[in-house]
Amino acid sequence: MITPQPLTMHPAAVYLDGLSKGSRATMEPALNAIAKLITDGQCDALTLDWAALRYQHTAAIRTTLMKKFAPATVNKMLSALRRVLHEAFKLDLIDANDYAKAVDFKSIKVEKGLKGRALTRAEITKLLQVCQEQRGAVGARDAALIGILRGAGLRRAEVVNLTLKDFHPLTGELEICNGKGGKDRSVYLPKIAIDLVNNWLTFRGHRAGALLCPIQKGGQVELRHLTPQAVLLIVRKLANDAGITRFSPHDFRRTFCSDLLDAGVDLVTVQKLAGHSNPAITSKYDRRGEQVKRKAVDLLKF
């Protein structure tokens, strides 16, 4: 299983090449983990002979993953496994009977419930206060990050891909290029978020390049993009310093959608701003809780 295949005939390479940059960053480590698991660390995603896998292998993979990871993570990894085997089938590397048996494993049942949470206005205020107390370039950069996450509801991958030319200070427009699914869209920041980004630019400068950048210990701005992992670490540190319950960057996105819906913005408009493919996905981001239902029924007239 350790003999490399030409990449044009390697099912994992073909599968990964068809993904967006953000999806590849998620699925390639998943495939690497599976490959190392079944070869005791000898292979990775691009050296494993995936076409040699049979049902006894995939069933064992599923069982082992269940012991190591959360159900949602296991399902993501199993999805990647199915897709690679499907590419192997299309490349005529595995016959139809063996393929059908190899992918005949069930996903892990995930307990139903809404993921994440919405942040309160008080929590967001505390986060911005922490940024203000930091002062200097770091505080300004982190405040701008909060302003964009909260004010535009962007995904982490979209935030880190922003460049200076994508930000229009007069209108607050942010141009999202090659978002999820390879789609472009425009979103708009509220005034306070525009001010936070403009304040950051006084430290960053107006040279072309990444909008949000790493900062050296001496306060010097490195004109390159942050990574999605860096955004996560920044948010976690801010939450800790602010003394609020830990949350993920994606919770800003849930807050964004919930607050717009609570303000009476129609679902289709929120869908377009969030960059969702359909309104049903947007509705899953609603974290307004039971109170909104109570308010709704109070509108009924008898």
Side-chain angles (χ1 to χ4, degrees):
M1 287 190 182
I2 60 175
T3 302
Q5 294 171 288
L7 292 183
T8 54
M9 288 294 292
H10 195 289
V14 174
Y15 164 60
L16 292 170
D17 284 346
L19 299 177
S20 67
K21 183 178 179 181
S23 295
R24 177 164 183 152
T26 299
M27 291 308 194
E28 188 167 8
L31 293 176
N32 283 332
I34 293 173
K36 291 178 180 179
L37 175 69
I38 61 176
T39 63
D40 197 24
Q42 295 183 58
C43 291
D44 61 15
L46 296 181
T47 56
L48 179 69
D49 183 6
W50 295 91
L53 297 184
R54 297 296 181 264
Y55 175 73
Q56 62 265 34
H57 302 123
T58 57
I61 290 170
R62 179 183 182 275
T63 300
T64 304
L65 293 178
M66 286 175 61
K67 297 176 182 178
K68 290 178 171 287
F69 302 101
T73 301
V74 174
N75 286 335
K76 175 189 67 178
M77 299 174 79
L78 292 178
S79 175
L81 176 59
R82 286 192 187 94
R83 293 289 300 277
V84 170
L85 291 173
H86 185 59
E87 295 296 342
F89 171 65
K90 292 195 295 183
L91 291 167
D92 293 323
L93 300 175
I94 182 173
D95 67 47
N97 187 51
D98 287 333
Y99 165 69
K101 291 179 180 178
V103 296
D104 188 20
F105 52 83
K106 295 181 179 179
S107 297
I108 309 302
K109 185 176 181 180
V110 180
E111 293 184 6
K112 292 185 177 181
L114 296 175
K115 293 182 179 180
R117 67 183 184 91
L119 281 77
T120 66
R121 291 181 65 182
E123 287 177 321
I124 295 171
T125 298
K126 288 181 180 179
L127 293 171
L128 291 175
Q129 286 175 342
V130 168
C131 295
Q132 187 176 19
E133 291 168 1
Q134 286 179 331
R135 300 185 179 182
V138 172
R141 191 267 322 270
D142 291 355
L145 172 63
I146 297 300
I148 292 172
L149 288 170
R150 193 273 178 274
L154 300 189
R155 303 175 178 93
R156 269 195 286 172
E158 294 171 341
V159 172
V160 299
N161 285 334
L162 288 172
T163 63
L164 182 66
K165 67 180 180 60
D166 296 328
F167 172 60
H168 301 270
L170 295 180
T171 62
E173 180 183 1
L174 286 174
E175 296 181 35
I176 311 303
C177 300
N178 197 28
K180 190 171 184 179
K183 298 178 180 178
D184 298 342
R185 73 182 191 280
S186 292
V187 297
Y188 299 87
L189 293 174
K191 185 179 184 306
I192 185 171
I194 296 173
D195 292 341
L196 292 173
V197 176
N198 281 327
N199 182 55
W200 155 240
L201 292 180
T202 63
F203 294 90
R204 179 207 175 278
H206 290 80
R207 291 174 294 166
L211 180 60
L212 298 173
C213 312
I215 300 169
Q216 297 178 359
K217 289 185 178 180
Q220 183 178 353
V221 176
E222 296 183 39
L223 203 59
R224 59 182 176 86
H225 291 276
L226 290 171
T227 65
Q229 180 66 14
V231 172
L232 175 62
L233 295 176
I234 291 169
V235 165
R236 284 182 175 176
K237 183 178 185 303
L238 290 174
N240 183 67
D241 292 346
I244 64 177
T245 303
R246 178 179 286 193
F247 60 91
S248 73
H250 214 72
D251 285 332
F252 278 111
R253 190 165 166 78
R254 297 181 177 101
T255 306
F256 174 79
C257 293
S258 297
D259 286 354
L260 288 178
L261 291 170
D262 199 36
V265 178
D266 65 275
L267 186 59
V268 173
T269 299
V270 179
Q271 170 208 339
K272 291 177 180 178
L273 288 170
H276 288 145
S277 57
N278 64 70
I281 297 175
T282 308
S283 65
K284 294 179 181 179
Y285 280 67
D286 190 353
R287 296 296 182 277
R288 290 175 292 170
E290 295 299 310
Q291 187 61 30
V292 69
K293 290 189 280 187
R294 288 188 57 85
K295 290 180 180 179
V297 298
D298 284 341
L299 298 174
L300 295 175
K301 304 299 181 183
F302 278 81

